[in-house]
Amino acid sequence: MKRFMKTHEFHVLVVILILSAAITVVNPNFLTLENGFDLLKSYSFMGVLAIGILFVLISGGIDISFAATATVAEYVMAVVSIKLGGNMITSLLLATLVGLLLGAFNGFLISKFKIAPIITTIATMNFYYGILTVITGGKWIYALPEWFRAFADIRVFTLVSRAGTPYGLSVITLFWAVITVLAFFLLRYTILGRGIYAIGGDIGSAERVGFPVRRLQIFVYSFMGMMAGIAGVIQALLVQTVAPNSIVGKELDVIAAVVLGGASLSGGFGSVGGTLLGVFLIAVVKNGMTLVKIPAVWYDVFIGAVILISVGFTSWQGKKGYHQAVIDIEKEEAA
């Protein structure tokens, strides 16, 4: 317990609890099951993207193009589903495949030509988004198939509020939950996960130990692309429309959530649990500000301040020696 209390995740959890208590005092509707299920559903999109960018940040990279990737995957999925038909499984597979290919292209460029990830992904973001806009003419899609609309209304279980309104755990939230559990096991218990931490901690040492650096880099960007594809489907399920510009611009919110959860922008550090808490913190702040009637223009100011405090506190913890590398390269070499 003492060890957990020194972690970044514990401090984020404390901030969430304090904020939740303060918001509930002002508006008791915040701390209700109905609001909680709504938040889990609404933030599934951000949560899935956050898992993808977590892998990239741990590996020492950065991806700015994932919102454009999600938009392309979402649009292709919608067009094919309308013209050729299908079901949720084919839609998910198609969007995931599109995201995988675009993410793998990022990984190939970064690993093969050693271009800085931020430069590469800014370029591909504009390329993906530009190509989509040229081909589609910026047209919105409203007429999604009926089976697609019906799937968004499915609940794992349903409760009824005092006012007689049904609510419950949406099936959309399950996407986020399953991906979170899989990501946790992948990073925690597999050689692949250890390799991702290793190249983020010290890429030269990781290469000497024998980790396939180039393949790992391609994997993390491909994984990011897959998460973007799934997030694109979730976004379409949530809003029931598809627009070429509906997702682009949300990159910083997602990266902010992962950084708030303790992931290092310089690589080698980060956790699924911390990322989950980072998304929850963003959700609590945004939803709480709405419920206590703080103008939306203050949202970015508050998030920016929270990030500055979080990053500053993390840096201070690093100087105090609380952070420990997950992969000890010297031990790996000795082994």
Side-chain angles (χ1 to χ4, degrees):
M1 187 62 184
K2 286 184 179 179
R3 188 177 177 184
F4 175 65
M5 291 175 69
K6 291 180 179 179
T7 63
H8 183 90
E9 287 84 348
F10 174 76
H11 297 109
V12 176
L13 180 61
V14 170
V15 172
I16 291 173
L17 294 176
I18 292 172
L19 281 175
S20 299
I23 295 166
T24 303
V25 169
V26 179
N27 190 334
N29 290 326
F30 175 78
L31 205 59
T32 61
L33 271 178
E34 191 171 2
N35 189 48
F37 286 134
D38 283 345
L39 282 180
L40 288 173
K41 180 180 178 181
S42 302
Y43 282 83
S44 295
F45 167 76
M46 176 185 281
V48 171
L49 287 176
I51 291 294
I53 200 66
L54 171 68
F55 277 57
V56 176
L57 290 183
I58 290 174
S59 75
I62 186 75
D63 189 342
I64 307 297
S65 68
F66 60 82
T69 300
T71 305
V72 173
E74 177 189 29
Y75 211 98
V76 170
M77 177 275 300
V79 170
V80 172
S81 297
I82 291 170
K83 290 186 178 298
L84 303 179
N87 51 48
M88 275 311 303
I89 294 176
T90 57
S91 294
L92 268 174
L93 289 176
L94 179 60
T96 304
L97 177 62
V98 172
L100 170 67
L101 293 175
L102 298 184
F105 184 60
N106 284 340
F108 170 76
L109 292 176
I110 292 167
S111 63
K112 177 70 175 179
F113 301 107
K114 310 298 182 189
I115 309 171
I118 191 168
I119 301 298
T120 303
T121 54
I122 286 176
T124 54
M125 175 189 72
N126 286 285
F127 180 72
Y128 298 157
Y129 182 57
I131 288 289
L132 179 67
T133 305
V134 168
I135 293 175
T136 64
K139 293 180 180 176
W140 289 42
I141 298 174
Y142 297 99
L144 291 168
E146 188 56 40
W147 53 263
F148 192 85
R149 294 180 180 279
F151 185 85
D153 295 328
I154 296 175
R155 299 188 188 95
V156 179
F157 57 84
T158 301
L159 304 173
V160 180
S161 69
R162 291 180 179 177
T165 307
Y167 68 94
L169 182 65
S170 170
V171 70
I172 295 174
T173 308
L174 282 188
F175 291 144
W176 182 17
V178 170
I179 287 169
T180 299
V181 172
L182 290 176
F184 173 79
F185 279 99
L186 191 61
L187 285 176
R188 183 94 176 181
Y189 297 110
T190 67
I191 295 296
L192 179 63
R194 293 166 65 83
I196 294 170
Y197 277 109
I199 64 172
D202 187 327
I203 194 169
S205 297
E207 196 163 21
R208 288 199 301 276
V209 170
F211 285 113
V213 172
R214 186 177 170 189
R215 277 185 285 171
L216 286 170
Q217 286 180 321
I218 292 176
F219 170 80
V220 294
Y221 288 97
S222 301
F223 183 78
M224 175 74 258
M226 291 170 61
M227 295 302 103
I230 295 171
V233 175
I234 291 175
Q235 172 73 1
L237 286 167
L238 290 172
V239 300
Q240 293 298 322
T241 57
V242 175
N245 60 352
S246 64
I247 300 177
V248 174
K250 296 184 178 179
E251 299 88 349
L252 293 183
D253 277 358
V254 178
I255 294 173
V258 182
V259 172
L260 284 172
S264 171
L265 289 171
S266 55
F269 194 84
S271 69
V272 172
T275 299
L276 202 59
L277 290 170
V279 175
F280 286 162
L281 180 54
I282 294 277
V284 167
V285 169
K286 197 165 186 177
N287 183 251
M289 289 180 72
T290 302
L291 291 178
V292 300
K293 300 180 180 178
I294 295 176
V297 292
W298 284 97
Y299 169 71
D300 290 337
V301 176
F302 197 86
I303 288 297
V306 172
I307 291 172
L308 281 175
I309 295 170
S310 173
V311 172
F313 188 72
T314 302
S315 176
W316 177 77
Q317 278 186 308
K319 289 180 180 177
K320 296 283 287 183
Y322 290 154
H323 277 179
Q324 297 177 352
V326 174
I327 297 296
D328 189 328
I329 298 300
E330 291 183 357
K331 287 184 179 179
E332 292 288 337
E333 286 180 320

